[in-house]
Amino acid sequence: MRTRVAVGIDIGGTNSVLGLVDEQGACLAESSVDTVPEAGPESLVERLVSAVRELHAPLAGTCEIAGVGIGAPNANYYTGTVEHPPNLGWKGVTPFVALVRRHVDVPVVITNDANAAALGELRFGAARGMRDVIVITLGTGLGSGIIANGELIYGVDGFAGEIGHVTVQPDGRECGCGRRGCLETYASATGICRTVFELLSTSRAESELRDVPFRKLTGRLISAAAHRGDPIALAAFEHTGKILGTTLASTVAHTAPEAIILFGGLADAGELIFEPTRRWLEAHVLKLYRGHVKILPSGLPGGNSAVLGAAALGWTELLKAR
Amino acid sequence: MRTRVAVGIDIGGTNSVLGLVDEQGACLAESSVDTVPEAGPESLVERLVSAVRELHAPLAGTCEIAGVGIGAPNANYYTGTVEHPPNLGWKGVTPFVALVRRHVDVPVVITNDANAAALGELRFGAARGMRDVIVITLGTGLGSGIIANGELIYGVDGFAGEIGHVTVQPDGRECGCGRRGCLETYASATGICRTVFELLSTSRAESELRDVPFRKLTGRLISAAAHRGDPIALAAFEHTGKILGTTLASTVAHTAPEAIILFGGLADAGELIFEPTRRWLEAHVLKLYRGHVKILPSGLPGGNSAVLGAAALGWTELLKAR
């Protein structure tokens, strides 16, 4: 009998990655294609399908593709569509699952990348065995996937888990969503850059970051400066952890998770971000939750966590159908 | 064959009510006992069990008790315990379900009153047919029950759904939980009374409420004054709806419910509270949820909604076990 695998596909603004993943989370093969969003979704789907066929051909004797899971920005699980994705520039609503289904005859499911990350942690990563957990992705923005009673929460319309758009500061920083003061304008790779510039304006402290222009600043530069003891960089991590931790204290009052997993670019800063987040969460959380919520790093291997998340979505669907 | 009924019991600080409820939500008989919390939980359980037997005796030929559902303050579904209930004054952790099970030989389950209300709305009330809905109880405090994917969310430890303790104002009003600025210090029957006194201090407007001492003020008095056009009372409802609506906009970003049901004392003020809550929610919610979240009144009959909620908990458990 051939090993059943799910194809995991993660669609990014520049590259899209794909892999063949077995039920235990082993990635048997992986590759990537340039996304080239301006060529349109049909072109991307054709190139993805070709890449999957190339990947599978040498393994066809030993492994069988049972389903496809896709993580993509602004993807809707219920409708199989990708809706107005800001970093792909596709107008309107793209029936992405239907486009893929023209080429393949197995179940195909899609959700946004944060939900895929949450399913990846649940099935293969740090949330294995948990029934209530929240995954926060700290990238350009802040995404989230909420698992309660062992299931991902999609909400009535497929768009649950937008914790990045919880208002933390009325009349605060402008957000890409058109409102102000959303969590992701503070707690994300972009948010911490904005915080550094705010601190450079309000503080007189010496900082190597005074030589970096806005467009060049990255979470990684801030992290490197903080490791060298730069006071502005350290204060920026403290401020980011304060806003993230106090906001997550209110999130905990919703679904009472066993753990919150911090995932993605800014989470790679390690204790620089984990320590203040944990400390401010504990200081602000309702007494009955105090000491009960773990703040954990991802349990997925960094290199292919996005592929494993998307494949976990595929496996979740296949195992439901059984 | 006899009709199967669930016993619904709602434990309050002064009275506890009970009833026999069939699978369709018809309450075939109901009664109540004085809670007398200072007599202790064992005494209360004995009186409740006697009351259930009295209620059932004349119906014993036609109806059979299949299970018991209990709504009680600070009750934990997982452990069957009632933990440090502030309005009952019982110290420590009371194994309430175990006490009831000494007397009856059917399944017994317990949860807090807001969770019971949510299950009541889901099974018999305004949330019938919905899979994602949040019930907010506006009484002395603010309780909440969150339903996602068709199931009540209990969280890892049984204490999910404490939206009343979301922080809405850092360093704001003192809360009974020991922290400051919790939602329930603004949006609850007690909260709106505090808002009236804040407005009486900051505004020079004429108001009949200037004659009412703090201890005598109630949501009902404020509601009556508002109906007579009292400017302080009207401003207090506007302020309450503003804080509730803007906070619920962040709650929506967690679980994306189809509807939010406002339940309990302050919700009886009707459009005085519903209209500003709806308006501020719509003004603050992320664009993709705009116009999608209904704010609804309870669909349970006012007189025995607490009994129906507790009975719905019993039925949910019985139907799971099938």
Side-chain angles (χ1 to χ4, degrees), chain B residues 5 29 39 58 61 126 137 162 178 199 208 246 255 265 269 277:
Chain B
V5 295
T137 63
E162 290 288 349
L199 290 170
E208 63 182 80
T246 52
T255 64
T277 302

Side-chain angles (χ1 to χ4, degrees), chain B residues 112-187:
Chain B
N112 72 47
D113 32 6
N115 283 345
L119 291 171
E121 297 292 348
L122 183 68
R123 191 163 286 282
F124 305 132
R128 259 177 298 184
M130 295 183 187
R131 289 178 52 78
D132 300 277
V133 64
I134 295 176
V135 173
I136 303 283
T137 63
L138 298 169
T140 310
L142 183 153
S144 61
I146 303 176
I147 287 158
N149 290 343
E151 289 192 343
L152 188 71
I153 298 181
Y154 289 105
V156 66
D157 48 11
F159 289 115
E162 290 288 349
I163 296 176
H165 296 284
V166 165
T167 304
V168 299
Q169 184 72 57
D171 302 317
R173 294 178 183 168
E174 287 180 3
C175 184
C177 75
R179 302 179 310 150
R180 281 174 172 274
C182 293
L183 178 61
E184 75 170 26
T185 67
Y186 299 87

Side-chain angles (χ1 to χ4, degrees), chain A residues 132 146 148-149 151-157 159-163 165-167 177 179 250-251 253-258 284-286 288-289 292, chain B residues 132 146 148-149 151-157 159-163 165-167 177 179 250-251 253-258 284-286 288-289 292:
Chain A
D132 299 277
I146 303 176
N149 290 343
E151 289 192 343
L152 188 71
I153 298 181
Y154 288 105
V156 66
D157 48 11
F159 289 114
E162 290 288 350
I163 295 176
H165 296 284
V166 165
T167 304
C177 75
R179 302 178 311 151
S250 288
T251 286
H254 287 76
T255 63
E258 177 173 353
H284 274 75
V285 89
L286 191 59
L288 62 87
Y289 304 123
H292 289 205
Chain B
D132 300 277
I146 303 176
N149 290 343
E151 289 192 343
L152 188 71
I153 298 181
Y154 289 105
V156 66
D157 48 11
F159 289 115
E162 290 288 349
I163 296 176
H165 296 284
V166 165
T167 304
C177 75
R179 302 179 310 150
S250 288
T251 287
H254 286 76
T255 64
E258 177 173 353
H284 275 75
V285 90
L286 191 60
L288 62 89
Y289 304 123
H292 290 207

Side-chain angles (χ1 to χ4, degrees), chain A residues 45-70:
Chain A
V45 166
E46 279 165 24
R47 282 174 289 121
L48 285 169
V49 169
S50 301
V52 170
R53 290 198 175 127
E54 260 176 56
L55 210 56
H56 184 235
L59 301 167
T62 56
C63 91
E64 172 199 3
I65 292 175
V68 179
I70 305 169

Side-chain angles (χ1 to χ4, degrees), chain A residues 58-101:
Chain A
L59 301 167
T62 56
C63 91
E64 172 199 3
I65 292 175
V68 179
I70 305 169
N74 291 37
N76 189 321
Y77 169 79
Y78 291 131
T79 57
T81 54
V82 171
E83 310 187 5
H84 318 276
N87 61 343
L88 299 177
W90 302 341
K91 296 261 160 63
V93 174
T94 302
F96 205 86
V97 164
L99 293 179
V100 177
R101 287 277 295 159

